[in-house]
Amino acid sequence: MPSKQPPTLGSLAVQATPHLVHVSPSTCHNLSMFKDLLKEYRRLDDTITMRLNRSNAQFRDRDRAGTGGKGNIQDQACAYVWKELVENWKRRTEMINYCVDIVDQSMEEKRKSLTSEEGDVRAHRKTQAAMFADEVKRNQVHNELAIEKIVRQRSLDAFRSRCQYFSPPLTDSEARKWWDAVHIQESP
């Protein structure tokens, strides 16, 4: 009989990174599924302080066991959490931008079909109703871009309060891009 893995309990359950999900156009058109998916991906940002605490403890334990990396424990923990944040921000941004494109494309297709349906009043009304529904979706999806900026800024503030002297390595161009983008937004 195969042994069962014990369930992840406590803060470890919250710390787990979300599964990679392949977003399809149907995901973008289903607002509740889209928002639930974003909520799952934003869990990392919501638990940033706990993750920093856990990472510090994890790297401290590794150091005590003699398997730690080089450098300060705090710096190692900050670099680890920063890498997770950047990967998560990138996935969410790609997903939101993909859905923005899908919903915008759907709106454009309906506009084109509206101009071609000159004589059929029923089809014209049906297309207008579908356009209205797509406009609501479009606004909701576009709003997620603004929400994403707020979530990132809040996470960065929490991160910087604990990792005051952290700066991503110059060799990590992706992390530097995110770091620089967030710091440009802060400028008056």
Side-chain angles (χ1 to χ4, degrees):
M1 184 160 149
S3 64
K4 279 182 152 182
Q5 287 278 336
T8 307
L9 301 174
S11 59
L12 281 176
V14 177
Q15 189 171 352
T17 54
H19 300 294
L20 283 178
V21 175
H22 298 285
V23 179
S24 66
S26 64
T27 307
C28 298
H29 287 290
N30 183 339
L31 279 178
S32 59
M33 185 186 310
F34 175 70
K35 287 188 176 222
D36 284 348
L37 192 55
L38 280 175
K39 181 180 175 184
E40 185 70 29
Y41 274 108
R42 286 179 178 149
R43 187 179 288 173
L44 170 67
D45 291 76
D46 293 340
T47 59
I48 182 90
T49 302
M50 183 202 56
R51 288 177 94 73
L52 284 164
N53 290 342
R54 282 202 159 279
S55 292
N56 270 330
Q58 179 184 18
F59 282 96
R60 191 174 43 253
D61 290 347
R62 286 181 187 172
D63 189 55
R64 287 180 188 151
T67 60
K70 55 183 175 180
N72 181 328
I73 293 169
Q74 176 79 19
D75 293 343
Q76 291 176 47
C78 289
Y80 177 79
V81 172
W82 177 253
K83 184 178 178 187
E84 278 188 329
L85 273 175
V86 167
E87 289 171 2
N88 206 16
W89 290 349
K90 183 180 175 189
R91 279 193 302 261
R92 284 197 319 250
T93 302
E94 287 172 352
M95 183 175 70
I96 293 170
N97 287 333
Y98 172 77
C99 285
V100 163
D101 291 343
I102 291 296
V103 173
D104 286 347
Q105 180 183 1
S106 176
M107 289 281 299
E108 188 58 36
E109 288 170 3
K110 286 185 176 63
R111 276 192 196 97
K112 286 179 183 177
S113 70
L114 196 60
T115 58
S116 67
E117 297 171 352
E118 293 175 7
D120 190 358
V121 175
R122 181 176 287 160
H124 189 73
R125 284 187 188 146
K126 189 174 183 179
T127 303
Q128 279 182 321
M131 276 183 62
F132 179 75
D134 276 0
E135 185 69 31
V136 170
K137 282 182 210 168
R138 181 182 178 277
N139 290 339
Q140 289 289 317
V141 173
H142 277 269
N143 285 344
E144 291 301 329
L145 290 170
I147 293 168
E148 190 62 24
K149 286 181 184 176
I150 294 166
V151 169
R152 274 197 302 262
Q153 187 61 52
R154 194 187 72 203
S155 295
L156 182 70
D157 291 345
F159 179 84
R160 287 173 65 199
S161 74
R162 296 285 302 277
C163 300
Q164 297 169 354
Y165 305 108
F166 174 80
S167 180
L170 295 173
T171 56
D172 190 350
S173 61
E174 187 71 27
R176 292 298 308 180
K177 181 186 87 170
W178 284 101
W179 184 261
D180 294 340
V182 170
H183 283 82
I184 290 170
Q185 289 176 355
E186 290 179 350
S187 304

